[in-house]
Amino acid sequence: MRPKFHITATSNWINDPNGVVKFKGRYHVFFQYHPHGITWGPMHWGHVISEDLVHWKHLPIALRPDESYDRDGCFSGSAIEKDGKLYLIYTGNVGLPNGGYQVQALAVSEDGIRFTKFEGNPILPSPNSDVINGTDFRDPKVWKKDGKFYCVIGSKNVEGTHGQ
């Protein structure tokens, strides 16, 4: 029996909720989703909506790993509404967990259902610097305060730790 008040995928692997947002009168929840297997795999963004936070409707996959900058997974991120459009800000994964790098990317929708990836992606390339480790540069959280947008991104330093 499926849970009655808990968001689940229609099948296969699900984890990390992403981009919980209210857009055009509906609540949207996106989540990490591997539609091709019951174990962790190339992450997509699953998508459900609700008008009451109790009854959920499954929508088509919002993000697929189909570009050079996210070919090995569309990792966690967030969602914001701006000027009547819904924006998804997410981590594009290339080559991990066996070496590689991560970048930040953007997708936009006018209807909250069909998303188009920004032609200028990645919006933040992998830092791969002598300070930040580009293999753990992920999970952007974007919010608006006092008319300005802010973003924090998790990362490790070059020693592979999260620092102090």
Side-chain angles (χ1 to χ4, degrees), residues 7 25 31 34 66 73 76-77 88 91 98 105 112 115 127 134 144 158 160:
I7 296 169
F31 51 88
H34 181 211
D66 57 5
S76 294
L88 304 181
T91 298
N98 303 316
F115 291 86
K144 185 177 183 180
V158 291

Side-chain angles (χ1 to χ4, degrees), residues 6-26:
H6 184 76
I7 296 169
T8 61
T10 54
S11 64
N12 297 323
W13 180 269
I14 179 177
N15 67 321
D16 295 2
N18 296 300
V20 179
V21 66
K22 190 171 184 182
F23 178 70
K24 295 188 177 183
R26 293 184 175 149

Side-chain angles (χ1 to χ4, degrees), residues 31-95:
F31 51 88
Q32 295 288 272
Y33 179 47
H34 181 211
H36 308 298
I38 59 171
T39 59
W40 190 93
M43 287 299 119
H44 296 58
W45 274 33
H47 185 193
V48 293
I49 59 170
S50 174
E51 294 183 9
D52 61 9
L53 296 174
V54 176
H55 302 94
W56 295 94
K57 177 182 176 185
H58 288 270
L59 293 177
I61 290 171
L63 295 175
R64 298 175 184 280
D66 57 5
E67 299 290 340
S68 62
Y69 54 83
D70 65 11
R71 68 177 178 251
D72 296 315
C74 297
F75 281 15
S76 294
S78 54
I80 56 168
E81 182 277 331
K82 181 179 183 310
D83 299 330
K85 296 179 182 178
L86 184 56
Y87 292 85
L88 304 181
I89 302 91
Y90 69 99
T91 298
N93 177 44
V94 177

